[in-house]
């Protein structure tokens, strides 16, 4: 019975998703005041990015949800090898609040020496985070959003500049790592975090003494996911070779809170939830450098992606890791028990299924009706306001 119900719920969800898609394209049909390439964008109006930046509506967009059961083992995916990351304190790096994130400029001497079919040179790193109310990674794994995400951005040095490389296929690479609350301070993040108050306002810039940049990444650089995608902010160019590490990076609750509550973006508002929603794969494959089936049986490493064990001091559902809907909760319980059930139960099963189908058809008809009504009564004034603030991650997921 639960299988039939699950199937029907999925059908309904699909129908709802379809209705949302239609609404989205309706919205984008309205001309915007701002022309193409306009540089003012915000996370509050991310549904409208594509009207000013057409690539944001493309078929190879990032971030994505990584469904670990659908990844394909890529035996050619060698461990990531980094060179030149232990910077001398005499080297000063620029740190800037650009209104969307905090960016640390990196010298081109930092390279990815191995792990890709070509060498890449560093350009900058930045972070994505949520708020004290919810997590804020950009990628999700099996529907789960992590507290934050580090992006180290690289370009292919066979192009003259980063700006040229970002427009070319294979021009960019990003190393991504999930940030997660752990039991203690992460000393590697301290040089960066302690400078955040210096760049509180949008546009502010300071310098940071060189430190070991590699320490910001997980220690295990051999377990990762690889796929082709895009910049996760406008102009959303689809030129990024993504690496998303399987091992997470642990920061203390205090450090994550500092990240979530120090910076300001537009209009002096707190800079929070600076993540884009996950985008459809549109048939893309996600490769894994490791075989999940084997590793799943191994004892979990610290920070390997298991839920944080430490309870949050300020309580509540704050670091709840189950906010995001989990896909594929599965039909296995019914498959196991069905064999023992008698004929009458089978009949009940069929009847329940029939009623379910009837309900689904009615609901679908209703949705189609509502959609038609909406299309007929297009009111320009009824557009969703760009100022809506998205706080709860779970709410965001449903707008997809
Ligand atoms: C790491 O891989 C394991 C095994 O596939 C998976 O269960 C876990 O969710 C992954 N975590 C991340 C952050 O990728
Ligand atoms: Zn990013």
């Amino acid at each position: 019975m639960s299988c039939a119900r699950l199937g029907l719920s999925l059908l309904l969800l699909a129908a709802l998703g379809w209705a949302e898609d239609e609404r989205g394209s309706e919205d984008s049909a309205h001309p915007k005041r701002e022309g193409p390439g306009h540089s003012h964008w915000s996370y509050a109006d991310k549904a409208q990015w594509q009207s000013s930046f057409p690539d944001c509506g493309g078929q190879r967009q990032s971030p994505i949800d990584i469904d670990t059961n659908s990844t394909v083992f890529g035996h050619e995916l060698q461990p990531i090898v980094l060179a030149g990351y232990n910077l001398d304190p005499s080297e000063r790096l620029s740190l800037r609040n650009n209104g969307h994130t905090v960016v640390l400029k990196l010298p081109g001497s930092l390279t990815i020496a191995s792990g890709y079919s070509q060498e890449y040179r560093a350009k900058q790193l930045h972070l994505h985070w949520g708020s004290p109310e919810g997590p804020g990674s950009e990628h999700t794994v099996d529907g789960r959003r992590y507290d934050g995400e580090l992006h180290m951005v690289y370009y292919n040095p066979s192009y003259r500049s980063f700006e040229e490389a970002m427009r070319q296929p294979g021009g960019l690479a990003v190393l991504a790592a999930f940030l997660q609350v752990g039991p203690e301070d992460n000393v590697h993040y301290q040089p960066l975090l302690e400078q955040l108050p210096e760049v509180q306002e949008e546009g502010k810039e300071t310098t940071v003494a060189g430190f070991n940049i590699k320490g910001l990444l997980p220690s295990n650089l051999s377990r990762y996911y690889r796929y082709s995608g895009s910049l996760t902010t406008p102009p959303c160019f689809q030129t990024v070779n993504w690496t998303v590490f399987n091992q997470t990076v642990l920061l203390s609750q205090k450090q994550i809170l500092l990240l979530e509550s120090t910076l300001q973006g537009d209009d002096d508002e707190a800079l929070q939830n600076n993540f884009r929603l996950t985008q459809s794969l549109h048939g893309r494959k996600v490769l894994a450098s490791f075989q999940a089936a084997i590793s799943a049986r191994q004892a979990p490493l610290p920070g390997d992606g298991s839920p944080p064990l430490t309870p949050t001091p300020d309580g509540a559902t704050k670091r709840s890791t189950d906010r995001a809907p989990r896909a594929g909760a599965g039909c296995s319980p019914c498959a196991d028990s069905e064999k023992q059930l008698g004929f009458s139960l089978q009949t009940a099963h069929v009847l329940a299924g029939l009623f379910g189908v009837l309900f689904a058809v009615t609901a679908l008809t209703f949705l189609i009706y509502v959609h038609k009504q909406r299309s007929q009564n297009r009111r320009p004034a009824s557009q969703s306001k760009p100022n809506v603030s998205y706080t709860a991650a779970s709410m965001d997921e449903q707008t997809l």
Side-chain angles (χ1 to χ4, degrees):
M1 187 163 348
S2 56
C3 277
R5 283 214 191 128
L6 183 62
L8 288 164
S9 322
L10 287 176
L11 192 69
L12 270 175
L13 279 174
L16 281 165
W18 168 79
E20 283 297 314
D21 275 358
E22 291 298 298
R23 190 177 61 81
S25 53
E26 233 173 70
D27 282 354
S28 61
H30 292 283
K32 292 281 166 301
R33 262 176 294 129
E34 297 161 351
H38 196 281
S39 63
H40 292 300
W41 56 269
S42 79
Y43 283 100
D45 72 356
K46 47 189 174 287
Q48 270 83 50
W49 287 357
Q50 63 168 292
S51 61
S52 297
F53 307 93
D55 289 24
C56 299
Q59 309 256 299
R60 301 173 77 77
Q61 289 291 292
S62 294
I64 55 161
D65 174 51
I66 296 163
D67 176 25
T68 56
N69 285 322
S70 313
T71 59
V72 177
F73 174 59
H75 56 88
E76 74 280 15
L77 298 178
Q78 295 300 307
I80 298 287
V81 177
L82 303 174
Y85 285 66
N86 207 352
L87 298 176
D88 193 88
S90 65
E91 190 157 3
R92 309 292 302 187
L93 308 177
S94 136
L95 183 77
R96 184 170 186 269
N97 173 350
N98 69 5
H100 307 298
T101 184
V102 58
V103 182
L104 184 71
K105 272 196 196 155
L106 296 175
S109 53
L110 279 65
T111 63
I112 305 178
S114 179
Y116 282 100
S117 52
Q118 77 219 35
E119 190 196 85
Y120 280 103
R121 223 167 261 186
K123 173 71 175 170
Q124 50 109 322
L125 66 81
H126 61 267
L127 301 162
H128 298 268
W129 58 86
S131 77
E133 282 72 47
S137 69
E138 294 219 289
H139 289 88
T140 57
V141 177
D142 295 332
R144 173 177 175 188
R145 192 178 300 288
Y146 289 84
D147 291 318
E149 192 168 324
L150 162 73
H151 287 162
M152 281 198 197
V153 182
Y154 298 79
Y155 68 103
N156 182 340
S158 56
Y159 299 108
R160 265 175 306 172
S161 64
F162 174 83
E163 284 65 30
E164 194 182 324
M166 75 190 276
R167 294 158 202 280
Q168 307 300 328
L172 301 183
V174 178
L175 302 184
F178 294 113
L179 311 182
Q180 206 180 355
V181 169
E184 55 203 37
D185 282 347
N186 184 325
V187 292
H188 301 288
Y189 275 77
Q190 223 33 52
L192 207 158
L193 292 176
E194 66 192 16
Q195 293 301 316
L196 289 185
E198 306 299 315
V199 295
Q200 185 167 41
E201 291 95 32
E202 176 180 10
K204 277 195 111 185
E205 190 166 343
T206 185
T207 60
V208 176
F211 61 103
N212 187 4
I213 306 291
K214 193 177 170 179
L216 302 173
L217 289 167
S219 55
N220 186 336
L221 300 182
S222 51
R223 291 167 61 93
Y224 60 83
Y225 305 102
R226 170 72 49 79
Y227 79 98
S228 23
S230 73
L231 304 172
T232 66
T233 59
C236 305
F237 293 147
Q238 305 188 122
T239 54
V240 181
N241 253 322
W242 280 91
T243 294
V244 180
F245 292 111
N246 178 243
Q247 193 183 33
T248 63
V249 176
L250 301 182
L251 274 69
S252 67
Q253 172 87 42
K254 210 177 93 205
Q255 288 179 310
I256 295 275
L257 261 179
L258 184 80
L259 179 64
E260 290 170 342
S261 45
T262 305
L263 300 187
Q264 296 170 356
D266 267 352
D267 312 319
D268 301 339
E269 276 180 46
L271 177 45
Q272 294 179 330
N273 298 315
N274 54 352
F275 62 90
R276 188 189 195 190
L277 301 181
T278 55
Q279 307 291 303
S280 299
L281 274 175
H282 293 293
R284 281 175 290 175
K285 285 264 175 295
V286 179
L287 300 179
S289 69
F290 58 97
Q291 277 166 308
I294 295 162
S295 60
R297 263 174 247 124
Q298 291 172 351
L301 297 158
D304 72 335
S306 31
L309 299 171
T310 41
T312 59
D314 26 0
T317 56
K318 205 167 161 206
R319 295 292 164 202
S320 154
T321 52
D322 286 312
R323 246 179 305 241
R326 280 172 186 272
C331 278
S332 48
C334 31
D336 289 341
S337 52
E338 259 167 42
K339 287 179 206 132
Q340 282 116 43
L341 293 177
F343 176 76
S344 57
L345 263 177
Q346 292 278 13
T347 314
H349 214 133
V350 168
L351 275 174
L354 265 174
F355 279 115
V357 169
L358 266 172
F359 172 70
V361 167
T362 312
L364 255 177
T365 313
F366 174 73
L367 277 170
I368 291 165
Y369 170 77
V370 167
H371 171 69
K372 281 202 176 135
Q373 287 292 3
R374 275 207 226 150
S375 316
Q376 279 161 15
N377 311 319
R378 282 185 191 178
R379 298 144 298 174
S382 75
Q383 271 192 71
S384 56
K385 291 223 182 85
N387 277 343
V388 187
S389 71
Y390 298 86
T391 42
S394 55
M395 254 179 60
D396 265 359
E397 305 274 6
Q398 283 160 15
T399 63
L400 257 184

